[in-house]
Amino acid sequence: MAAQAQDKKPLTFGELQTIRVMAGGMVGEALGQALGKNMLGIIANRSAICSTLSGGVGSGFLRTNAKGAITMESIREAVDVTAAVERMLPADALYLAFGGEWKKEDNVALLEKTLEELAVNQYKGTIVFHVTTWAQKQPQEIAARNPRVAAYLRQADIRVGTLNLDAKKAVLNKATLEGDQWKLTPIGEVPMRDDLVALFRRA
């Protein structure tokens, strides 16, 4: 009974950040090992949660890629996006993290503007959608209603993170948009710590 009560106990804000530190580090290490890219850009919304996640992703990437470099931009509103994307164009891969404390519609608006700018600049690097960004169907909804973004994503090199809590693993997938249908193909996985799984189950 006590264990069940603990499992259902709401996460504190610190625990929400702890998830992002641990998960971000795990994701960053996976990207450093699997992508074969040396420069990782990160664009996230300007929230404490996404900033914490981004720090974990960046440090994990550098820890497993001796030649790696990172650059990060946090954006608050649409007017921040153009300059942020311009600074990211030299990156070999770009991690997009829009979640955190913000409402989904606010994140979707920023992600849509970001994808439009990437399309305008014909960014050729690998685009990686964060687990929450994908799980909330943010890019899927944008592609369904925005023909210009959809056309760009159909020819883009895309990766997506997903979680399998039952198997205690995180999966890196190659994502392709064929017509209006998305297809995920697993290309790698990393084990998740028991304490991280326990936090996710309470989230």
Side-chain angles (χ1 to χ4, degrees):
M1 293 287 290
Q4 288 179 340
Q6 177 63 31
D7 287 345
K8 295 180 180 179
K9 184 178 178 181
L11 293 172
T12 67
F13 193 80
E15 287 175 322
L16 289 170
Q17 289 183 298
T18 300
I19 287 179
R20 272 64 179 195
V21 170
M22 296 170 68
M26 177 183 66
V27 167
E29 289 181 5
L31 295 177
Q33 293 169 348
L35 282 184
K37 310 287 187 179
N38 286 330
M39 184 174 179
L40 177 67
I42 303 169
I43 297 181
N45 73 29
R46 199 170 299 173
S47 68
I49 291 293
C50 282
S51 296
T52 303
L53 170 82
S54 298
V57 170
S59 62
F61 180 79
L62 295 177
R63 192 160 52 247
T64 53
N65 188 336
K67 297 181 180 180
I70 62 168
T71 183
M72 177 182 165
E73 291 290 337
S74 65
I75 55 180
R76 185 184 300 278
E77 51 193 348
V79 295
D80 301 324
V81 173
T82 300
V85 168
E86 184 176 346
R87 286 191 285 271
M88 292 296 166
L89 294 178
D92 300 317
L94 181 56
Y95 193 87
L96 301 178
F98 296 93
E101 309 104 283
W102 290 16
K103 294 178 181 178
K104 178 182 173 181
E105 55 265 31
D106 295 332
N107 283 312
V108 169
L110 286 181
L111 178 59
E112 185 162 10
K113 176 65 173 173
T114 300
L115 292 173
E116 287 176 343
E117 288 294 326
L118 291 172
V120 166
N121 287 279
Q122 283 299 294
Y123 175 71
K124 300 297 185 184
T126 300
I127 296 172
V128 185
F129 290 118
H130 173 56
V131 169
T132 302
T133 304
W134 181 259
Q136 289 184 353
K137 300 187 182 301
Q138 295 180 31
Q140 300 94 310
E141 290 179 10
I142 293 167
R145 68 163 183 262
N146 188 321
R148 180 169 61 171
V149 168
Y152 172 68
L153 292 177
R154 287 189 189 100
Q155 51 85 41
D157 184 34
I158 303 171
R159 302 290 184 270
V160 170
T162 57
L163 300 179
N164 185 334
L165 296 182
D166 291 335
K168 298 182 180 180
K169 63 183 181 182
V171 182
L172 184 63
N173 305 272
K174 180 176 177 60
T176 54
L177 179 58
E178 301 172 359
D180 60 355
Q181 298 296 314
W182 286 93
K183 177 183 177 182
L184 295 186
T185 304
I187 58 174
E189 60 183 50
V190 292
M192 296 177 66
R193 295 168 51 107
D194 288 345
D195 50 358
L196 178 57
V197 171
L199 286 171
F200 267 117
R201 290 195 183 281
R202 288 172 52 205

